[in-house]
Amino acid sequence: MTKGTLFIISAPSGAGKTSLVAEILKRVANIKASVSHTTRACRPGEQDGVNYFFVSKNQFQEMIKNADFLEHAEVFGNYYGTSQRWVRDSLADGTDVILEIDWQGAEQTRQQFPSSKSIFILPPSIQALEVRLNNRGQDDSIVINQRVAAAKDEMSHYAEADYVMVNDDFKLAIDHLEKIILGQLSHNSAIVDASLINNLLS
């Protein structure tokens, strides 16, 4: 049986990776998204075991001790981690897997899965990112400012990915992402204009 492919998708908060992944799961056959464990609170509309496995910090620490995670990281005071066994079993069954993780988790995962394909999603501008974060209505201005500052650090790692794309027009972005996953674009053929990168990181 052919093993599945592991796709690592990273992006700063507000770049739209969750919406893109949700659409990919509708369009592409034989692919599923990994459900991460997290210590953060469940948001309205989220379900345990569907969006995340919501656990306490003590439970999370115990899982770290037991080496249950493929990767884990602390983000804004909360912990996130990916089940190592679930990913390996899914790939062994021939199913493609998508991981939505930050650059730290992506780095850890690439070391364990050198054949994985990593994709970095950028917002069209810092201003657009701020608007998206405000429109969520989930965080106050202090947290949003923290997320924007963290986004610049996150985006500085874009070059470590195999593919880089911009989520400006959602339809174009989803078409682009689908082509990457279906193997219709070659390595790093999705690199974006250098001036956009400079504006995002300045």
Side-chain angles (χ1 to χ4, degrees):
M1 179 183 291
T2 303
K3 288 188 66 174
T5 299
L6 179 61
F7 294 96
I8 303 167
I9 298 185
S10 302
S13 179
K17 68 180 181 297
T18 300
S19 297
L20 289 168
V21 169
E23 184 63 25
I24 281 294
L25 295 176
K26 296 176 185 176
R27 291 193 182 199
V28 179
N30 197 43
I31 191 168
K32 56 186 178 181
S34 171
V35 179
S36 297
H37 289 71
T38 184
T39 61
R40 78 158 170 77
C42 182
R43 293 171 179 165
E46 292 182 332
Q47 297 179 47
D48 183 51
V50 176
N51 304 98
Y52 288 95
F53 292 107
F54 296 97
V55 298
S56 68
K57 286 191 176 181
N58 286 339
Q59 288 175 301
F60 199 98
Q61 293 292 345
E62 190 65 27
M63 293 180 75
I64 292 176
K65 290 179 183 178
N66 294 333
D68 290 335
F69 293 126
L70 171 64
E71 58 77 33
H72 64 275
E74 182 181 1
V75 182
F76 297 113
N78 294 305
Y79 292 92
Y80 297 81
T82 302
S83 168
Q84 182 171 185
R85 177 178 293 179
W86 185 91
V87 171
R88 293 188 185 278
D89 288 350
S90 297
L91 295 175
D93 288 341
T95 302
D96 293 337
V97 173
I98 291 178
L99 295 186
E100 292 180 59
I101 50 180
D102 68 1
W103 71 268
Q104 300 171 73
E107 184 177 48
Q108 295 174 42
T109 303
R110 281 193 295 267
Q111 291 173 1
Q112 298 188 58
F113 291 89
S115 62
S116 62
K117 306 296 181 186
S118 54
I119 305 156
F120 202 102
I121 300 170
L122 296 169
S125 67
I126 290 296
Q127 292 74 21
L129 189 69
E130 291 174 341
V131 169
R132 291 174 184 178
L133 290 171
N134 276 293
N135 287 343
R136 283 180 176 181
Q138 296 172 343
D139 301 311
D140 60 30
S141 59
I142 294 175
V143 173
I144 288 175
N145 288 337
Q146 291 174 341
R147 289 189 181 278
V148 171
K152 292 185 178 182
D153 178 63
E154 177 100 2
M155 290 186 292
S156 70
H157 296 273
Y158 76 93
E160 297 163 13
D162 298 313
Y163 301 90
V164 183
M165 55 177 285
V166 179
N167 181 16
D168 187 359
D169 180 290
F170 185 80
K171 184 179 183 303
L172 292 177
I174 195 65
D175 288 344
H176 207 162
L177 183 57
E178 183 177 17
K179 287 179 180 178
I180 292 173
I181 289 175
L182 295 178
Q184 296 173 354
L185 291 177
S186 59
H187 176 85
N188 244 343
S189 63
I191 195 68
V192 299
D193 186 83
S195 62
L196 184 144
I197 297 291
N198 290 334
N199 287 335
L200 286 170
L201 299 183
S202 60

